[in-house]
Amino acid sequence: MRLTMARRIALALALAFAAPLPVSAEPPVPQITVTGEGRVDRAPDLATLSLGVTTQGATAAAAMAANSAGVAAVLANLTAAGIAAADIQTSGLSLNPNWIGYDASPTPRIDGYTATNTVTVRVRALGSLGAVLDAAVQDGANTLNGLAFGLADPDPVLDEARVRAVADAQRRAALLAAAAGVTLGRVLSISDSVGVGAPAPMYSMYAGSAAPVPVSGGEVSVLATVTISWEIAQ
């Protein structure tokens, strides 16, 4: 059935009036967003060492054999020093040829091999850390790749830092609201981030020294940052 021009116009107007009207966007909620910081310092109760044994040999087998003997001595000394097997882990193992003649000869050649084995050690009794270091370098470890201090159970300290960060954010928000002559309303959002850091320890290393290696653990700093947004009450 063909529609007349008048009926077409009437139908178009009916559809236009039947369409829903666009909803106006709600105005943005006035708010104050503040970042608070919390810091807690604690004496560390855990140290993590990265020790290495590097050996060379005329052949790959010779380099690995010497390295294995050195690592076995390190593991035996660490065990004797009271380190549990669960706190000792091999973290790196490599065997590479020693190339020579790159500059002087167009045909470089291999002159022996270098084997490296890296072991990560957790020391839970920090009073024995110096003795552990001293034991590790006797008959074995000849590289110290890193020493870091931390907390065996950081969660309670992290929670304390978070509480301090929230209190700091509330203080700052109240200060800003009072200065602006407004009142804080409900909390709109909260987000946080945490981190653990420590000052670099001072230490020295002497293989076969009579006294344990001197080490100072200092303090571990636990930092928390909290960002909170409040609605400004009207």
Side-chain angles (χ1 to χ4, degrees), residues 90-107:
T90 299
S91 54
L93 180 62
S94 64
L95 176 64
N96 297 294
N98 301 325
W99 292 94
I100 62 172
Y102 276 103
D103 298 330
S105 171
T107 55

Side-chain angles (χ1 to χ4, degrees), residues 118-199:
T118 304
V119 178
T120 300
V121 182
R122 289 194 297 259
V123 181
R124 300 182 184 276
L126 293 189
S128 66
L129 179 56
V132 170
L133 281 167
D134 193 56
V137 301
Q138 297 200 25
D139 307 322
N142 50 22
T143 59
L144 174 59
N145 301 316
L147 169 59
F149 292 97
L151 300 170
D153 183 13
D155 288 344
V157 184
L158 290 173
D159 289 344
E160 183 178 346
R162 289 186 178 102
V163 170
R164 294 187 181 186
V166 170
D168 183 51
Q170 291 173 329
R171 178 189 62 81
R172 296 186 183 190
L175 178 66
L176 292 176
V182 297
T183 302
L184 293 177
R186 60 192 177 96
V187 174
L188 300 176
S189 65
I190 301 177
S191 63
D192 77 319
S193 62
V194 295
V196 180

Side-chain angles (χ1 to χ4, degrees), residues 25 56 114 189:
Q56 293 185 342
T114 298
S189 65

